[in-house]
Amino acid sequence: DSPSVEDVAHALHMSARTLARHLAQEGPGFQAVKDALRRDIAIARISRTDEPIASIGNRLGFDDPGSFNRAFKQWTGSPPGAYRKERG
């Protein structure tokens, strides 16, 4: 499961508002950081494992395989299956 901003703030011993303020000062917001992490994990798993694509999407918090496919294509320019074939 993806942590919420509240979960991350708690782990860092600060309020969610303080975390949001720090992120705003640095540039990207919490959702942008979370999306970048999801992208990097998805690319690594698709490139380096034989884990089913639907399973990767589900583990990254995408309830619908179509949503994961669209997001992955937006991130890389290729759907996950084609990306895996190109890298395999």
Side-chain angles (χ1 to χ4, degrees):
D1 290 335
S2 292
S4 67
V5 69
E6 290 82 10
D7 296 333
V8 173
H10 180 73
L12 295 172
H13 306 289
M14 63 177 67
S15 71
R17 179 68 189 120
T18 299
L19 175 59
R21 196 170 38 254
H22 284 292
L23 287 171
Q25 290 172 349
E26 295 295 323
F30 181 77
Q31 190 61 47
V33 171
K34 187 173 160 181
D35 288 344
L37 180 60
R38 289 166 75 184
R39 178 199 64 221
D40 292 349
I41 291 169
I43 290 170
R45 286 185 180 163
I46 286 174
S47 299
R48 300 178 188 149
T49 73
D50 291 330
E51 183 178 356
I53 291 169
S55 175
I56 294 169
N58 190 286
R59 291 179 64 191
L60 291 173
F62 290 90
D63 294 331
D64 174 44
S67 296
F68 176 65
N69 287 336
R70 284 188 297 279
F72 194 88
K73 188 172 181 179
Q74 185 177 21
W75 295 330
T76 65
S78 299
Y83 191 90
R84 180 174 270 169
K85 284 181 183 177
E86 292 170 5
R87 303 301 185 270

